[in-house]
Structure formats: structure tokens, C-alpha cells
Amino acid sequence: MANNSLKSFASGMIIATSIFTAVYYFQPFNKREQKIVENDTLTNEEVQAYLNNNGYISIPEQTYDELVAKSKEFEAIKNQTQKASEPKPPEQKETVPIPPSPEVEKKIFTLTVKSGMDSIQIANLLENAGIVDSGREFEQFLTKKDWTRSIQVGTYKLNSSMSYEEIGKIITKKK
């Protein structure tokens, strides 16, 4: 008996689905979709209203062509003016000796690395003392070399003429 009720239920589902499908496909579209355009040409007033509403203007084709021609003329004049105003290279160059620049004053700094200091703190101290140009770059250098965990506690004499490599080797006691 249970088998017959299952068959009846399945048959009912098939019939209901068939009815819904037929209604869906054979029902006329809703009124909004059925709207038929009777006049597919736009009037000048409709075009003008559309342009005005969207911030555009219309000009006759002849006026447009004149504007394009004037624009091209303007570009040509602009290019000629730029070429005329460019300085001509001198035929002979004078050689003026460049005076040697005075040596940059070498700064000396005593760095004391204490227990618990990290590479960022050390890099900032060196930047503030004028030993390195950028503490951030020096810290990135130490990270790239994998020296951030090798920094040793101690007191180091450093100067501004040292490279990142030299400073790094001194504070990590690497050779």
C-alpha cells in the first residue's frame, strides 16, 4: 500500500510541474515587457531635452568641423612655438673646472646596545645620531642579512663614513 501512495504522490508532482511549466511558457509577458513602441523615431524636442538633462549641448556639423580645424591649427602653432623657444645647443662648450667639494664632516658616535634592545631601536638611534641616512633602510639591511638576532650587547664606536655592512659586522661581531 505504501508503494501505491508513493507512486500517486510522484504522479501528482509530475502533473503539477507540467501545469506550472505550461502556464509559465504560454502566459503572455507582463504589461511592462509587452509595451510596443509605436513611434521609433525621436523628435528634435526629445533629443534636446535628453541632452539638456544630461549636461550636453548639440552643435551643427559645420560648426564642429570648424572647431576641429581650429584645434589642429592651434596645435601646429603651439608645436612651432615650442621648437622656436628651445635653446639651441652651443657650438663650443666651455669647460669650467668644478671645485672639489669640502669633505663632509665625519660624525663619531658611541653606540651602547643594552639587553632587550631590538634592531629597530638601534637603527633609530643611529639615524638620530647621523651615522646612517635612514634607520628604516638600515633595519631592512639587517633583516635581509638575517643579522637582527645576532646583535650583541656592548659599546661600539661608529662613524658616519661606515657602510651598513661595516656597522652590521661590528654590532653583530661577524667577520
Side-chain angles (χ1 to χ4, degrees):
M1 180 99 172
N3 198 12
N4 283 338
S5 23
L6 188 58
K7 286 181 182 179
S8 298
F9 178 73
S11 299
M13 291 298 288
I14 290 173
I15 291 171
T17 302
S18 300
I19 291 171
F20 284 130
T21 303
V23 168
Y24 179 77
Y25 283 109
F26 297 114
Q27 175 186 5
F29 296 112
N30 66 25
K31 292 180 181 179
R32 186 177 62 196
E33 292 175 359
Q34 281 184 338
K35 188 177 181 181
I36 298 173
V37 178
E38 295 175 10
N39 187 2
D40 61 349
T41 58
L42 297 174
T43 63
N44 285 337
E45 291 80 23
E46 291 173 330
V47 171
Q48 279 302 119
Y50 174 81
L51 292 174
N52 290 337
N53 289 339
N54 292 308
Y56 296 107
I57 61 168
S58 65
I59 58 172
E61 188 174 353
Q62 181 181 1
T63 306
Y64 174 77
D65 292 338
E66 290 171 1
L67 289 172
V68 169
K70 286 182 182 179
S71 175
K72 288 180 181 178
E73 288 175 21
F74 176 75
E75 286 296 321
I77 292 170
K78 181 179 169 186
N79 289 339
Q80 289 174 352
T81 305
Q82 285 178 346
K83 287 179 183 177
S85 66
E86 288 179 1
K88 295 180 181 177
E91 293 179 14
Q92 291 182 339
K93 292 185 179 180
E94 293 181 27
T95 52
V96 178
I98 299 173
S101 62
E103 283 195 33
V104 177
E105 184 180 318
K106 185 164 72 170
K107 296 179 183 177
I108 298 173
F109 178 68
T110 302
L111 174 68
T112 303
V113 178
K114 296 178 183 172
S115 180
M117 289 180 76
D118 64 3
S119 60
I120 295 172
Q121 292 170 322
I122 294 167
N124 288 336
L125 283 173
L126 293 174
E127 181 180 9
N128 292 339
I131 302 300
V132 296
D133 293 331
S134 169
R136 183 172 172 233
E137 287 178 12
F138 180 68
E139 199 280 328
Q140 288 174 348
F141 169 79
L142 292 174
T143 303
K144 184 179 176 184
K145 289 286 210 172
D146 199 25
W147 287 354
T148 55
R149 295 184 182 202
S150 302
I151 297 172
Q152 302 294 315
V153 174
T155 302
Y156 308 100
K157 291 207 182 253
L158 306 172
N159 64 59
S160 59
S161 65
M162 292 179 167
S163 68
Y164 288 172
E165 182 91 19
E166 291 171 323
I167 296 171
K169 285 182 179 180
I170 291 171
I171 66 175
T172 58
K173 297 186 180 174
K174 299 216 183 245
K175 295 184 180 190

